[in-house]
């Protein structure tokens, strides 16, 4: 490992680049201990502040956890669930599986959905109101766990007029979760639209997802759309890890 003194890239960033590549390539596996600040000083012939900034960079990105008096370790995270067109399939819902269960079980992973309080009736933001065509919705807030790690915070907004017909807030359920309940009550889903965008975690999100403050997360908004173009669910979530902005649509499948 060496530093290019002719590069315009700061020395601390070059050290972070080297360690980041070792993490991504698996040379430093999840749970592995990184070189200490004195080790980095000796290896790269830099001062301690430069070594400290390199480690701070990786911690800010959510790649490592630092334990005071012990050292820095590669963060152990659950595998990213694959984005598949069939994760909202009716066959999965008929088997009693929502999207999270279908994805996790297909990959052989354990999962858990943890309610963050009761279902509430709320006045939604202007952005959500424009999408669902109503100012009021019922919302269910959850935290998702995969392989024992908190991976996602998710809020499902159901238009109040739709809730009046499906009794979601009253505790009505169906195989396959909310989408199964919608389809069982006259709201067949034709397609889904999802938009993903990377950003920094807000302080409360970082706490809930066990991330360092400001670590990258992926914000996802999904619209569940019926054949006549009505949005019957507005799904707003944030997950550990970052992606570039990505918008796509796909049809509901059997």
């Amino acid at each position: 490992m060496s530093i290019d003194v002719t590069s315009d890239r700061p020395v601390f960033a070059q050290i972070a680049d080297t360690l980041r590549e070792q993490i991504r390539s698996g040379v430093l596996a999840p749970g592995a201990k990184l070189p200490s600040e004195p080790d980095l000083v000796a290896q790269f012939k830099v001062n301690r502040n430069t070594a400290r900034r390199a480690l701070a960079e990786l911690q800010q990105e959510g790649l490592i956890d630092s334990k005071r008096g012990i050292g820095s370790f590669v963060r152990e995270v659950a595998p990213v669930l694959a984005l598949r067109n069939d994760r909202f399939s009716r066959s999965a819902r008929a088997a009693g599986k929502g999207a999270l269960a279908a994805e996790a079980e297909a990959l052989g992973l354990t999962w858990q959905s943890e309610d963050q309080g009761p279902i509430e009736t709320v006045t939604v933001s202007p952005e959500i109101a424009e999408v669902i065509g109503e100012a009021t919705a019922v919302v269910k807030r959850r935290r998702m766990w995969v392989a024992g790690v908190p991976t996602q915070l998710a809020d499902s907004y159901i238009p109040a007029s739709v809730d009046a017909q499906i009794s979601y807030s009253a505790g009505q359920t169906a195989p396959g979760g909310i989408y199964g309940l919608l389809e069982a009550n006259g709201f067949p889903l034709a397609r889904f639209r999802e938009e993903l965008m990377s950003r920094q975690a807000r302080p409360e999100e970082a706490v809930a997802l066990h991330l360092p403050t400001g670590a990258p997360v992926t914000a996802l908004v999904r619209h569940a759309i019926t054949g006549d173009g009505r949005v019957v669910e507005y799904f707003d979530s944030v997950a550990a890890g970052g992606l570039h902005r990505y918008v796509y649509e796909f049809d509901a499948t059997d």
Side-chain angles (χ1 to χ4, degrees):
M1 297 186 289
S2 61
I3 295 299
D4 181 1
V5 295
T6 66
S7 174
D8 292 334
R9 189 160 177 76
V11 171
F12 81 88
Q14 292 185 52
I15 297 173
D17 291 343
T18 298
L19 296 173
R20 187 187 301 107
E21 178 57 31
Q22 291 181 349
I23 292 170
R24 290 178 173 169
S25 67
V27 172
L28 288 171
K33 187 175 182 179
L34 274 73
S36 66
E37 289 179 14
D39 290 337
L40 294 176
V41 168
Q43 290 174 13
F44 290 97
K45 297 180 174 54
V46 295
N47 60 46
R48 191 150 187 168
N49 185 58
T50 298
R52 185 176 296 119
R53 289 186 67 185
L55 294 174
E57 180 96 350
L58 298 176
Q59 184 174 10
Q60 185 71 16
E61 294 174 10
L63 292 176
I64 68 173
D65 292 320
S66 293
K67 301 177 182 179
R68 189 175 182 84
I70 300 176
S72 298
F73 299 83
V74 179
R75 188 167 185 267
E76 298 187 67
V77 297
V80 175
L81 298 184
L83 295 175
R84 299 201 313 266
N85 187 50
D86 61 351
R87 69 192 190 284
F88 299 122
S89 68
R90 292 186 177 92
S91 59
R93 293 200 290 275
K97 298 178 182 179
L100 175 63
E103 286 276 41
E105 291 178 14
L107 295 172
L109 302 172
T110 60
W111 65 275
Q112 178 186 355
S113 178
E114 174 189 12
D115 290 345
Q116 302 290 284
I119 297 177
E120 300 177 294
T121 300
V122 298
T123 299
V124 299
S125 67
E127 178 185 357
I128 297 177
E130 182 178 359
V131 173
I132 67 175
E134 299 180 23
T136 306
V138 299
V139 58
K140 183 174 184 177
R141 307 183 193 278
R142 291 159 290 169
R143 179 166 60 166
M144 315 295 196
W145 297 68
V146 176
V149 177
T151 58
Q152 185 180 38
L153 302 173
D155 298 341
S156 290
Y157 293 87
I158 306 298
S161 64
V162 174
D163 180 62
Q165 297 180 62
I166 69 174
S167 300
Y168 183 54
S169 62
Q172 191 65 255
T173 61
I178 181 58
Y179 295 153
L181 184 62
L182 284 164
E183 295 205 312
N185 286 275
F187 295 96
L189 302 175
R191 69 184 190 279
F192 301 90
R193 180 183 189 274
E194 293 190 343
E195 177 174 340
L196 293 90
M197 184 179 296
S198 62
R199 60 171 173 79
Q200 289 187 318
R202 301 182 180 113
E204 67 276 11
E205 295 168 343
V207 171
L209 294 173
H210 300 181
L211 297 171
T213 301
V217 293
T218 298
L220 179 149
V221 170
R222 179 169 65 242
H223 304 164
I225 308 168
T226 59
D228 60 2
R230 184 176 186 182
V231 176
V232 291
E233 185 214 30
Y234 185 105
F235 179 87
D236 187 9
S237 75
V238 59
L243 291 173
H244 295 295
R245 187 171 183 268
Y246 183 40
V247 181
Y248 59 97
E249 292 189 17
F250 52 90
D251 293 336
T253 65
D254 293 329

